[in-house]
Amino acid sequence: MKLSCTKENLSKALSLVSGVTGKNIHLPILNNILIKADEQKAEIIATNLELAIQVAVRAKVEEVGSFTVPARTILDFVALLPDEKIDIHLQENELVVACGKTSTKIKGMSAEDFPVIPTLESGHGFLVQADDIRFGLNQVLPAVARNDIRPELAGIYWGFNLGKQDEFVMAATDSYRLAEKKISLQQGKDSVKVIVPGRAAQEIAHIVAVETESKEEKVRLLIGENQLLVSYGGAQIFTRLVEGNYPDYTQIIPKEFSVTAEVGTDLFAKEMKAAGLFTTTGVNAVSVHLDPTKKAVAVSSVSTQTGEYASVIDAEVTGAETTVLLNNRYVLDGLNSFSVPKTILQVVGADSPCVLRPQDDTSYLYIVMPIRQ
């Protein structure tokens, strides 16, 4: 194997795939990335058996071949190189990487030991805007469950053309909060629902966020039996899907509210952060009092360790006076995903789900379950 490419192209490809690798004691080869060169192109590939990422690299290939090296070693080394042409060739059981006056030999393992990356030739195909899926994933990811006690909640629900034609719905919940985002499909008429692992969703969002040379505007999705292939620019992500049925989360979305408030997004976030300094660790309970007569939202908290906090925000409030106790971290996760100056806060009662959504945006809602008083 012998090839040359720019530092920029190699560094970008390595950063895109390195998130999949980790410290695998049982299968050390999974800590490596596969560098593969054929007559047409060079590719950088990484997998953890559940998830694989394959990125094409624009390169001049002089000799075809393949080899695997530790992902972290080559990623960190390439980052230190000057912005010049990088020459790579295989010398026995070592990969020689040279750039300018710098050269190194990285010990690796034979490509024959690297797992075969599956391919998906047919299935349900969809096309979505890159910005839509990236922004949507970042809005629902905070609500994904952080443990695998219920594997389906550690994933994101994807529904295509179910409630409405040409609509793609993403939703996530960890039982304490719920996020739902609706985006338009550019192509694809099949009705499908699947559960995408949270880890895979993070990598999809990351890859779409990185500017590719092609600057493509569309992301291709291909859904097979228990498998998903995402193609964008020169990158492909292949992942297994979560088996099982996602809970019918729509049942907990309130249809009517006793009080609605319109507050400044940044100001509300600032007050929730301040109140969070005076809460009991783990509970993070902040009292939110909506007062229509005073046209205000009062935020307060009490901690036996740090003290107490109280503040009042001017707001447009309509309905009945209501107080709800919320986890400030959950609220902040929602507010941080908003990109509008005003937030709509809707409450049914002290023991019912509280809805947050960006003003003038019906495509996204974020629900926080109250803390029982």
Side-chain angles (χ1 to χ4, degrees):
M1 180 175 71
K2 189 175 183 182
L3 61 96
S4 57
C5 62
T6 65
K7 178 202 170 175
E8 181 186 5
N9 289 348
L10 181 59
S11 188
K12 183 182 289 183
L14 289 170
S15 67
L16 287 176
V17 305
S18 62
V20 177
T21 60
K23 292 185 178 179
N24 193 302
I25 302 168
H26 305 294
L27 277 172
I29 192 77
L30 297 183
N31 303 325
N32 287 12
I33 55 109
L34 171 66
I35 300 175
K36 185 178 175 183
D38 57 31
E39 290 90 348
Q40 306 299 323
K41 62 183 183 299
E43 290 179 323
I44 308 290
I45 303 167
T47 182
N48 61 8
L49 299 183
E50 295 293 320
L51 170 67
I53 301 180
Q54 185 171 309
V55 180
V57 181
R58 186 180 292 179
K60 180 184 177 184
V61 178
E62 295 183 39
E63 290 179 20
V64 299
S66 55
F67 193 61
T68 82
V69 289
R72 180 48 56 186
T73 303
I74 190 166
L75 177 68
D76 290 348
F77 176 72
V78 170
L80 297 171
L81 294 175
D83 292 327
E84 297 177 23
K85 184 184 75 160
I86 295 177
D87 296 308
I88 296 172
H89 72 271
L90 193 57
Q91 185 176 303
E92 295 180 349
N93 217 33
E94 295 175 325
L95 192 73
V96 180
V97 182
C99 180
K101 297 178 180 178
T102 303
S103 178
T104 190
K105 292 180 180 179
I106 303 175
K107 295 186 182 295
M109 300 169 72
S110 169
E112 293 177 2
D113 300 325
F114 200 79
V116 175
I117 304 302
T119 56
L120 191 57
E121 302 295 339
S122 62
H124 306 283
F126 302 97
L127 202 63
V128 293
Q129 287 282 6
D131 285 344
D132 287 350
I133 193 169
R134 174 185 58 81
F135 195 54
L137 283 171
N138 286 329
Q139 285 184 314
V140 300
L141 272 166
V144 173
R146 297 291 174 240
N147 58 58
D148 295 328
I149 296 172
R150 292 183 63 186
E152 64 274 16
L153 295 189
I156 295 178
Y157 166 85
W158 281 15
F160 300 86
N161 300 311
L162 294 171
K164 186 179 174 185
Q165 195 63 30
D166 298 325
E167 185 179 73
F168 170 22
V169 178
M170 291 185 274
T173 180
D174 59 4
S175 299
Y176 302 106
R177 64 262 184 82
L178 162 72
E180 181 194 63
K181 177 69 176 180
K182 297 176 181 177
I183 63 178
S184 298
L185 282 172
Q186 303 297 306
Q187 187 177 305
K189 300 297 181 183
D190 295 345
S191 296
V192 184
K193 57 181 177 180
V194 296
I195 306 172
V196 179
R199 175 78 182 276
Q202 285 180 324
E203 294 300 332
I204 294 167
H206 174 225
I207 280 180
V208 178
V210 174
E211 184 183 4
T212 60
E213 284 187 12
S214 58
K215 293 184 173 64
E216 285 190 29
E217 295 181 357
K218 306 283 197 302
V219 176
R220 295 189 175 276
L221 311 173
L222 185 62
I223 298 171
E225 189 173 347
N226 202 35
Q227 297 171 326
L228 167 69
L229 177 66
V230 179
S231 303
Y232 179 64
Q236 287 193 324
I237 302 175
F238 183 93
T239 180
R240 295 181 193 272
L241 296 170
V242 179
E243 295 184 30
N245 296 313
Y246 205 79
D248 183 8
Y249 67 87
T250 58
Q251 293 181 342
I252 70 163
I253 300 175
K255 303 294 188 289
E256 296 178 349
F257 304 93
S258 62
V259 60
T260 297
E262 181 186 300
V263 295
T265 304
D266 291 343
L267 183 58
F268 190 36
K270 175 176 166 287
E271 295 300 342
M272 291 302 285
K273 278 182 189 173
L277 300 174
F278 301 90
T279 61
T280 304
T281 305
V283 181
N284 305 314
V286 172
S287 174
V288 179
H289 179 73
L290 294 86
D291 191 338
T293 56
K294 294 181 180 178
K295 297 290 182 185
V297 173
V299 175
S300 61
S301 58
V302 178
S303 166
T304 53
Q305 284 85 30
T306 51
E308 56 186 77
Y309 180 83
S311 183
V312 177
I313 311 168
D314 291 333
E316 288 296 323
V317 185
T318 56
E321 189 173 347
T322 307
T323 301
V324 62
L325 205 59
L326 301 173
N327 182 309
N328 86 302
R329 293 196 177 198
Y330 294 166
V331 173
L332 285 169
D333 281 343
L335 294 174
N336 289 338
S337 68
F338 292 4
S339 58
V340 294
K342 295 283 187 179
T343 290
I344 304 300
L345 174 63
Q346 295 175 302
V347 179
V348 179
D351 297 324
S352 302
C354 173
V355 175
L356 294 157
R357 60 180 178 83
Q359 186 187 42
D360 300 326
D361 182 3
T362 57
S363 71
Y364 178 55
L365 66 81
Y366 184 86
I367 292 176
V368 180
M369 298 301 291
I371 298 168
R372 305 281 180 181
Q373 299 188 50

